[in-house]
Amino acid sequence: MSLESEVDLPGEAALPGVLSEELHAELVLFRRDLHMHPELGNQEFRTTAAIKERLEQAGLKPRVLAVGTGLVCDIGEWDGGRPMLALRADIDGLPIPDMKTECSYRSTVPDRAHACGHDVHTAVVLGAGLVLAELDKKGLLPRPVRLIFQPAEEVLPGGAADAIDCGVLEGVGKMLAVHCDPRVDAGKVGLRTGAITSACDRLEISLDGPGGHTARPHLTTDLVTAAARVVTDVPALVGRRVDTRAGLAVTWGRIESGHAPNVIPQHAELSGTVRCLDIDAWRQAPDIVVAAIDEVANLHGAKSEINYVRGVPPVVNDADVTGLLREAMTARRGADSVESTEQSLGGEDFSWYLQHVPGAMARLGVRTPGERTVRDLHQGDFDADESAITVGVELFTAAALLDAAQ
């Protein structure tokens, strides 16, 4: 592996840690291998082994997390003094089919895909670690940096909580992460101070009551109607019980009931998500949502059983750490490479780390410049412009060096 010694930008201080073409090509192949072999949360054994092997080849000492998948690896030795900067990647895939029919590296695993870009995140943090390790050997890394390869981001309430329990934050003072954004051109990042994602919980409901013949609905609990009213009325009720600026929203993903057109069923099931832009409203959400469901179900004579699964709070970017990312990206690619981004209703368990240490997440542009089609996240045709890997690596290496100099 070779490294260019510095990058020259007009008006900016030169920073070491620019990615060589050789390493970029290797990281692209590494990302494609992960893309072909996606693994679900807490099952990322092959992925963990591949990361571990490459880090060990670089002379590093990665440690597999006690949960069995995921790793933590320090570049340099922490002396117990000033806390470290940590770089985090999530490594799991999604339980959906890969629909990219003309792609040489499409998933080889049925109904599994890296459709959220976690393979890109992993390649970025791996690449940053390899570059920083070379700098450390040359005495050019003033402070140690920790790499965290986290499993099960897509599994509520998120593998971050397990990683924290495994001690990955010991000695860490701040954290950085990126998330692929298909709305942003490759070569750029989107930044935002404050909340950049929303809270996300999961909702599972069972409705029960005496069924009967559709000719005599007055003698039954009409569960199909009850379920339909829960679907339509609960979001409306919830929206009137919190400040509308909190963005508390209930959205359904599944409703199931009945087997025959002339039989009123005895059971119905619904599931969906609860999302919220505001952390204080999120703390109140379970009581508000459960009360609304019970009210609507009772109105129709249905017995409700509610499983409210706590998910993740919003990712709230620290102002100083966001500033570090902005400074790092500007140093690498100029001020025009940074754009403002909006708060998303998507959930991200990176938020759990930020309950303990300040940090920030950047939206990494993965859209090929000039491309009109947006391949959205969590869709089977999602893919990324792989030049974004170099951008992410150089963002993180610059941030590590600038943070050490502060």
Side-chain angles (χ1 to χ4, degrees):
M1 179 182 71
S2 63
L3 292 171
E4 300 174 30
S5 61
E6 61 182 22
V7 56
D8 295 316
L9 293 172
E12 299 290 345
L15 283 173
V18 176
L19 198 65
S20 68
E21 292 183 3
E22 176 189 357
L23 182 54
H24 169 75
E26 179 190 344
L27 293 174
V28 167
L29 291 177
F30 190 90
R31 178 255 169 171
R32 292 185 177 187
D33 179 71
L34 297 186
H35 200 85
M36 294 173 67
H37 303 91
E39 297 173 299
L40 299 185
N42 297 314
Q43 301 174 24
E44 312 96 333
F45 298 104
R46 183 186 185 278
T47 302
T48 298
I51 300 167
K52 182 173 183 288
E53 179 181 9
R54 185 61 186 90
L55 291 171
E56 289 176 339
Q57 287 175 5
L60 299 171
K61 298 179 180 180
R63 308 182 300 279
V64 177
L65 300 183
V67 292
T69 60
L71 307 95
V72 61
C73 181
D74 291 347
I75 313 298
E77 294 186 11
W78 183 54
D79 60 5
R82 182 179 171 189
M84 290 179 284
L85 175 72
L87 310 177
R88 175 268 202 173
D90 37 10
I91 65 174
D92 55 327
L94 284 163
I96 64 174
D98 191 329
M99 304 301 291
K100 299 188 297 296
T101 56
E102 298 182 2
C103 177
S104 62
Y105 52 87
R106 69 189 297 247
S107 173
T108 61
V109 184
D111 299 320
R112 302 287 186 269
H114 268 296
C116 204
H118 293 186
D119 52 341
V120 174
H121 306 167
T122 300
V124 165
V125 173
L126 173 64
L130 297 176
V131 172
L132 292 172
E134 286 294 306
L135 294 179
D136 187 49
K137 291 176 183 177
K138 298 175 181 179
L140 298 176
L141 184 64
R143 290 178 53 225
V145 175
R146 175 164 293 169
L147 313 179
I148 299 172
F149 298 91
Q150 177 214 302
E153 189 275 332
E154 298 287 355
V155 181
L156 289 180
D162 291 332
I164 292 168
D165 289 342
C166 291
V168 300
L169 290 183
E170 182 180 352
V172 170
K174 65 184 68 169
M175 292 191 69
L176 302 177
V178 294
H179 197 295
C180 289
D181 192 334
R183 302 165 302 170
V184 177
D185 284 349
K188 296 185 176 184
V189 299
L191 295 179
R192 177 185 177 89
T193 299
I196 192 171
T197 68
S198 79
C200 180
D201 299 334
R202 189 172 71 243
L203 194 57
E204 299 168 347
I205 306 169
S206 294
L207 299 177
D208 291 282
H213 201 290
T214 56
R216 294 177 289 277
H218 58 292
L219 301 179
T220 73
T221 294
D222 188 349
L223 280 183
V224 173
T225 297
R229 299 305 300 190
V230 168
V231 167
T232 57
D233 292 353
V234 167
L237 285 173
V238 167
R240 290 297 180 267
R241 294 181 178 179
V242 294
D243 189 324
T244 55
R245 292 171 294 184
L248 182 59
V250 177
T251 306
W252 306 104
R254 184 180 73 93
I255 178 171
E256 185 175 341
S257 185
H259 300 283
N262 62 341
V263 177
I264 294 175
Q266 297 179 343
H267 183 73
E269 294 182 357
L270 305 89
S271 58
T273 59
V274 180
R275 299 179 186 272
C276 188
L277 300 175
D278 178 76
I279 194 166
D280 291 329
W282 175 69
R283 294 189 178 105
Q284 304 171 40
D287 291 339
I288 294 171
V289 173
V290 168
I293 294 168
D294 283 337
E295 287 178 28
V296 175
N298 290 337
L299 182 63
H300 293 273
K303 179 182 178 183
S304 60
E305 183 175 330
I306 304 165
N307 182 24
Y308 193 108
V309 182
R310 252 331 194 182
V312 295
V315 172
V316 181
N317 281 351
D318 177 80
D320 290 339
V321 184
T322 304
L324 172 65
L325 286 171
R326 184 179 302 277
E327 184 181 359
M329 192 65 181
T330 300
R332 291 299 193 201
R333 295 181 178 254
D336 290 343
S337 65
V338 179
E339 59 183 55
S340 297
T341 191
E342 61 187 11
Q343 184 178 2
S344 165
L345 276 169
E348 234 290 349
D349 75 351
F350 185 65
S351 55
W352 289 125
Y353 300 109
L354 305 192
Q355 303 295 303
H356 301 272
V357 297
M361 171 175 282
R363 299 202 181 282
L364 180 67
V366 296
R367 179 178 64 193
T368 300
E371 184 176 3
R372 294 184 177 181
T373 302
V374 176
R375 293 182 173 86
D376 204 3
L377 301 172
H378 286 220
Q379 300 297 313
D381 65 345
F382 173 77
D383 204 356
D385 185 318
E386 291 169 321
S387 67
I389 296 173
T390 291
V391 177
V393 170
E394 294 185 358
L395 170 68
F396 278 164
T397 56
L401 294 170
L402 291 170
D403 179 61
Q406 288 179 357

